[in-house]
Every structure is written in structure tokens, then in C-alpha cells.
Amino acid sequence: MEELECPASFNELERATWAFAVKAHGEQRRKYQNEPYVKHLERVAQTVMAYSGTTGMVMAALLHDVLEDTPVTEAEMQAFLEEVCQGTIVKPAEVLQMVIDLTDQFTKQNAPGHNRKRRKQMEVERLAQISSRAQTIKLADIIDNTRDIIQHDFSFAKVYIPEIVALLEVLKRGEPFRLYMLACYEVQKAVLRLEEERRFHSNPEQNTASAEQDAE
């Protein structure tokens, strides 16, 4: 595993959580840029921090994909949180619940017989009920994922972006509201990119003529 450096902005609890996440995700890498997976977790956590998130929220942001994407169990995460939070004001149960809330429940394995569209609908209904703090972290996650996907995977973006448009409708309890607006802005930019691409491919002759005119 390559040597990674914990962001200096993290406090002691957050640094311990960062190390736990690094170990849990191991050699996993982000799909498009092949960067260590923890870089996504850092960006989500730093966005939460920039919008006045608590230490517990930053910790949950760093851990938000651990239960979903690694072999770490809830019991193992709970044991880690109880140990690291001992003597602090951070409540392990609250951090763990945020991570559970942010873990997809309706996967192919957990919801057999349902197609992707129905599973995502079920997730929207579930995420509408999670805490405002967990919704805040989800907004930060959406911002980073949307930027990544629209830049590097236009084909998947055609599936992903409409799903996120629907999801944003139920994440309005995330705080502060300007973070919600930033998520809407990033997603709307992606929607416009998709629409531009659709128009380009539906009128290739017109676009070629326009390009030739511009070159004259």
C-alpha cells in the first residue's frame, strides 16, 4: 500500500478515524482516476467540516463507505468507536448510526427481485427518514460523486444523475441550507451537460455546420 498522509486539518479523533478507514479500504481505489479510495472520503469529510459539521459528523463522513464496501462489521466499527471516543464528548452510538444510515440497504443482495430503478426508489424513501446530520453527509457525498462521474463516465452519468435529482428532493433537512444548494448546483450543472450531449448527438449535421461557420 502506498504511503498516505492524513490531512492536517483533522483533529485527533478524526485522524484516528481516518487511519481506521484507510486500513479498512486497503488497496481499494476510485474507479476513474485510480486514486486511493480514502481521497474521496477525505473530500467528503472536508466538505462536512467546511460547512460546520461536528467532529462526530466528520468521523461518520470518513467511515460512510466502510460497512458497504469493506469486510468491517458493525460490531467491529462499534468497538473501534467506543475505544477511540472514550473520555470525549463524541457519542459512539450516534456516529455508528450515521454510518448505518449512509449505507445502502437495498442492494442486489439485500433486495433480490427488485431492479435498479425500484431499489433506488426504496433508498430515496429510506434516506428521507434519516437524521439531518446524516443527510448533510449525504449531500457532501453527492457533490464529490457528481463531479467525478460527470467528468469521467458520461455513460453512467445518464443513469446516475436522474437518480440523484430524485434523491435531492428528500435531503432538504441537510444543514446548512447553502450546502443543499451547492449539491443542487452541481447536479444541475451535470443535467445541463447531459442535455448538451443529447442535443449534440441528435443533431450531428447541424452541429457540424455550426462548427464550420464558427471556423470561417
Side-chain angles (χ1 to χ4, degrees):
M1 184 188 299
E2 66 187 85
E3 188 171 343
L4 299 168
E5 186 173 347
C6 182
S9 57
F10 290 163
N11 64 30
E12 185 177 350
L13 276 178
E14 293 158 358
R15 292 176 72 84
T17 305
W18 176 89
F20 183 89
V22 168
K23 183 177 180 181
H25 284 280
E27 297 292 336
Q28 291 178 8
R29 306 187 79 83
R30 288 288 277 179
K31 181 178 179 180
Y32 306 116
Q33 300 187 75
N34 200 38
E35 64 181 359
Y37 197 86
V38 71
K39 294 301 180 183
H40 165 65
L41 307 177
E42 290 172 6
R43 289 191 294 268
V44 174
Q46 287 168 332
T47 297
V48 170
M49 185 185 297
Y51 284 84
S52 304
T54 64
T55 290
M57 291 169 67
V58 173
M59 292 169 69
L62 288 166
L63 297 170
H64 79 269
D65 280 332
V66 168
L67 296 180
E68 188 172 318
D69 295 335
T70 83
V72 173
T73 65
E74 285 185 26
E76 290 169 335
M77 184 176 289
Q78 181 178 355
F80 161 74
L81 290 169
E82 288 177 350
E83 179 180 358
V84 77
C85 294
Q86 191 171 9
T88 74
I89 62 171
V90 178
K91 298 178 180 178
E94 290 183 359
V95 178
L96 179 60
Q97 187 58 54
M98 282 188 280
V99 176
I100 293 170
D101 286 346
L102 294 164
T103 301
D104 280 355
Q105 303 297 316
F106 300 106
T107 61
K108 285 183 180 179
Q109 293 75 23
N110 295 341
H114 295 291
N115 61 21
R116 180 184 176 94
K117 182 177 181 180
R118 178 55 186 149
R119 293 199 307 272
K120 292 302 178 181
Q121 281 180 318
M122 293 161 75
E123 278 295 333
V124 167
E125 293 165 8
R126 184 185 70 82
L127 291 167
Q129 306 302 319
I130 65 176
S131 69
S132 61
R133 288 184 172 186
Q135 286 198 359
T136 296
I137 299 167
K138 188 64 180 178
L139 290 172
D141 184 42
I142 286 171
I143 290 167
D144 193 62
N145 281 331
T146 299
R147 290 170 175 170
D148 206 12
I149 290 168
I150 198 64
Q151 183 176 355
H152 297 106
D153 193 346
F154 231 77
S155 179
F156 180 56
K158 294 174 185 177
V159 176
Y160 173 81
I161 297 303
E163 292 173 348
I164 296 305
V165 170
L167 179 55
L168 283 175
E169 287 296 315
V170 303
L171 296 179
K172 295 177 181 177
R173 289 187 293 112
E175 297 177 345
F177 187 68
R178 57 196 173 94
L179 177 62
Y180 175 77
M181 293 305 296
L182 176 58
C184 289
Y185 171 71
E186 292 294 340
V187 172
Q188 187 59 36
K189 279 200 306 181
V191 169
L192 292 174
R193 283 279 307 278
L194 290 175
E195 181 60 23
E196 288 170 2
E197 185 76 2
R198 186 194 66 78
R199 287 202 304 267
F200 181 85
H201 286 293
S202 64
N203 297 290
E205 293 180 5
Q206 181 180 340
N207 287 306
T208 300
S210 297
E212 289 173 350
Q213 264 189 340
D214 292 340
E216 290 177 357

